[in-house]
Amino acid sequence: MTKRKEILVLNMVENLGNVKRLLREGLSYREISDITNKLVQDELLSYYEKRIILTEKGKVVLDQNKLLIKETNKENWIQPENKSRVKKHERNFIYLPNQTELDF
């Protein structure tokens, strides 16, 4: 487990967030569970009245490592959308649309 993943889980718990962000980061439900259990053992998280809360030690660790959450590589800010790409045609290709599909 990387430190970044642990910090993401701590941030999610602090902000009462959703696991969707963690799933987008590539974590599985099993990994989230394992990380959460490890953080409870390390006393960064605790169970209180059927809820998971951040301990004081967890708040300190989160504040010290907030920079790990930000994505600094600008290439990863916007993911390319490849499913709508059209294959490249040869230079002299002429596209003639179907006349029955035209709306104008």
Side-chain angles (χ1 to χ4, degrees):
M1 287 178 248
T2 64
K3 187 74 170 173
R4 184 175 193 280
K5 291 178 182 178
E6 292 176 359
I7 299 302
L8 284 171
V9 172
L10 289 175
N11 188 47
M12 179 202 60
V13 171
E14 181 188 42
N15 296 326
L16 302 175
N18 199 335
V19 295
K20 287 183 181 179
R21 177 170 181 195
L22 299 175
L23 296 174
R24 281 191 304 247
E25 292 286 334
L27 275 77
S28 66
Y29 287 106
R30 171 115 181 151
E31 286 178 307
I32 295 169
S33 172
D34 291 341
I35 292 171
T36 304
N37 288 333
K38 182 185 178 299
L39 292 173
V40 168
Q41 290 174 354
D42 294 343
E43 298 177 352
L44 299 176
L45 295 176
S46 67
Y47 292 103
Y48 179 73
E49 295 180 4
K50 298 182 181 181
R51 295 182 68 199
I52 299 175
I53 61 169
L54 220 61
T55 62
E56 292 301 320
K57 184 178 173 183
K59 289 178 183 178
V60 170
V61 170
L62 180 62
D63 288 337
Q64 291 173 348
N65 296 302
K66 277 260 189 189
L67 293 177
L68 292 176
I69 295 173
K70 288 192 173 191
E71 182 63 59
T72 56
N73 185 3
K74 291 181 182 180
E75 297 295 323
N76 294 335
W77 286 4
I78 300 175
Q79 297 293 325
E81 196 268 320
N82 292 323
K83 69 180 181 182
S84 298
R85 280 208 163 158
V86 179
K87 66 177 185 169
K88 202 168 192 176
H89 295 290
E90 59 185 62
R91 184 172 178 89
N92 295 325
F93 177 80
I94 299 174
Y95 174 74
L96 297 174
N98 187 352
Q99 294 296 317
T100 59
E101 295 176 4
L102 296 178
D103 293 335
F104 54 92

